[in-house]
Amino acid sequence: MIRLFLKAGVMKDGLATQNEKGVPQGSPISPILSNIYLDKLDKELETRGLYYARYADDVCLFVKSEMAANRVMKSITSWMERKLFLRVNRTKTKVVSPTKSNFLGITFWKGKQEWKCKPSNASKTKLYGKLKAILERKQAVSRLLAETFTKVNQTVQGWINYYRIGSMKTFIDKFGQWLRHKIRVIIIKQWKVPKRIYKNLQKLNRLLNCGFTEEDIFKVANSRLGLYRRSGMIVVNFILNPTVLARKKKDRPGLVNPLTYYLRETLLQYKCSAVYETRTYGAMGGGIYSPSTLL
């Protein structure tokens, strides 16, 4: 079966071409074959006593100095080309400080006692880009709010699930505020006319006991300010608060609160890790060494 995958060829510009070397990019078995073939590299790195992290064909080595990094990079590159017959991508292979690195969308920062990881700036920018495409005003206003919430929830939850091992509480809090502001703009735009804006805000004001006067809501509904600035006013922010946006209504899911979701997933991760370490300690009868201790 593996031979059939390797000889299946690739489709380029509508034409099938035979593949003579390597594994087709994007193949579902590419990561598996990488792990099998690069097992010798793992053993070589362990024999040399190097700290490393590898996922498929992406490898990150950790050393103490720039001089050692240049020496190890030259040595390992030569070993891979001689022993594994692989061509190393010279443009992507480089020596950088951990704070300037980007490994699978993750970079590192130095805490008080140890190194920690966080999403890279490129990953954060990509998240904003995806949400801006989903919340593009003309398209978002024309579709049902339930569909918009579903797309936003899937994107945000998927991103947090991937990067939850990183430290990003401050970023997630700021991102959540931006996200809810964009959602409020869409809701106010869907209400269209000042009369309906006033009516809906007044209705929510009574139900939630927000305490705003009719004059306060009238000013917002009939303001000549643009939707973006109007949605940032205290009346709209207070009435369409995170709790209200997170409520489910019939077929419409509640809007995920990024900070709440991140903290819940992080807590769950720590609990699972604690259970695993407890079982490991009981089975081994000795100390437990975490990756952070080794690094």
Side-chain angles (χ1 to χ4, degrees):
M1 182 176 290
I2 294 177
R3 185 180 295 275
L4 291 176
F5 266 108
L6 295 177
K7 290 189 174 182
V10 295
M11 183 74 71
K12 185 177 181 180
D13 298 329
L15 299 175
T17 57
Q18 194 67 27
N19 188 34
E20 298 180 357
K21 291 184 179 181
V23 180
Q25 188 174 6
S27 171
I29 64 168
S30 179
I32 299 176
L33 295 179
S34 296
N35 288 333
I36 295 173
Y37 195 73
L38 294 178
D39 181 65
K40 294 181 179 179
L41 174 63
D42 295 341
K43 292 179 179 178
E44 178 67 18
L45 295 176
E46 291 171 0
T47 302
R48 298 190 184 192
L50 296 172
Y51 299 133
Y52 71 96
R54 182 178 69 80
Y55 179 83
D57 58 346
D58 292 324
V59 186
C60 193
L61 303 177
F62 302 94
V63 293
K64 291 185 177 180
S65 65
E66 184 178 354
M67 184 180 295
N70 287 311
R71 173 175 53 81
V72 170
M73 182 179 69
K74 183 178 180 180
S75 175
I76 294 297
T77 300
S78 175
W79 184 89
M80 292 178 66
E81 292 176 347
R82 288 185 293 104
K83 299 294 184 178
L84 300 181
F85 307 103
L86 295 174
R87 288 185 300 173
V88 179
N89 191 329
R90 303 286 180 174
T91 58
K92 293 183 178 180
T93 305
K94 55 186 177 181
V95 175
V96 295
S97 169
T99 57
K100 298 180 181 179
S101 63
N102 189 345
F103 181 62
L104 302 175
I106 292 176
T107 187
F108 304 91
W109 64 284
K110 184 66 179 294
K112 292 183 179 180
Q113 298 180 349
E114 59 185 1
W115 283 92
K116 298 181 180 180
C117 62
K118 65 178 182 178
S120 65
N121 291 333
S123 302
K124 296 175 183 177
T125 303
K126 191 174 181 180
L127 174 64
Y128 273 105
K130 287 183 177 180
L131 268 299
K132 285 180 180 178
I134 295 174
L135 300 176
E136 199 276 326
R137 192 175 300 181
K138 290 184 179 179
Q139 296 181 4
V141 170
S142 62
R143 75 167 74 102
L144 294 175
L145 204 59
E147 185 179 348
T148 300
F149 278 19
T150 300
K151 291 184 177 182
V152 169
N153 290 351
Q154 291 174 349
T155 302
V156 173
Q157 290 173 348
W159 194 90
I160 292 177
N161 288 339
Y162 181 83
Y163 292 103
R164 65 181 177 181
I165 62 172
S167 304
M168 53 179 179
K169 182 178 178 181
T170 303
F171 166 75
I172 287 295
D173 187 22
K174 184 178 179 181
F175 167 75
Q177 295 175 26
W178 173 86
L179 175 62
R180 288 187 292 272
H181 185 78
K182 297 282 285 186
I183 293 294
R184 292 185 188 108
V185 172
I186 294 172
I187 293 174
I188 296 297
K189 180 64 176 177
Q190 286 183 335
W191 289 345
K192 294 183 178 179
V193 296
K195 184 177 180 180
R196 188 177 295 115
I197 295 174
Y198 172 82
K199 180 180 178 181
N200 291 337
L201 288 177
Q202 187 68 281
K203 182 179 179 180
L204 290 172
N205 182 44
R206 292 197 189 98
L207 290 174
L208 303 174
N209 294 321
C210 296
F212 291 108
T213 63
E214 293 185 4
E215 184 179 357
D216 293 333
I217 297 176
F218 183 84
K219 288 179 180 179
V220 173
N222 293 273
S223 174
R224 292 188 178 183
L225 296 175
L227 289 174
Y228 202 83
R229 290 189 62 185
R230 202 188 313 180
S231 300
M233 291 181 172
I234 187 172
V235 174
V236 179
N237 272 322
F238 202 91
I239 294 178
L240 297 178
N241 57 66
T243 304
V244 173
L245 295 176
R247 289 182 181 177
K248 296 181 180 180
K249 184 179 179 182
K250 297 182 180 179
D251 295 333
R252 191 199 74 188
L255 180 69
V256 64
N257 186 329
L259 182 60
T260 303
Y261 184 81
Y262 166 69
L263 294 176
R264 183 172 67 246
E265 291 299 310
T266 304
L267 180 61
L268 180 62
Q269 178 184 353
Y270 286 152
K271 286 183 177 178
C272 293
S273 178
V275 171
Y276 172 77
E277 289 185 359
T278 303
R279 291 176 179 174
T280 304
Y281 186 87
M284 300 298 294
I288 303 169
Y289 299 94
S290 64
S292 60
T293 306
L294 296 177
L295 293 178

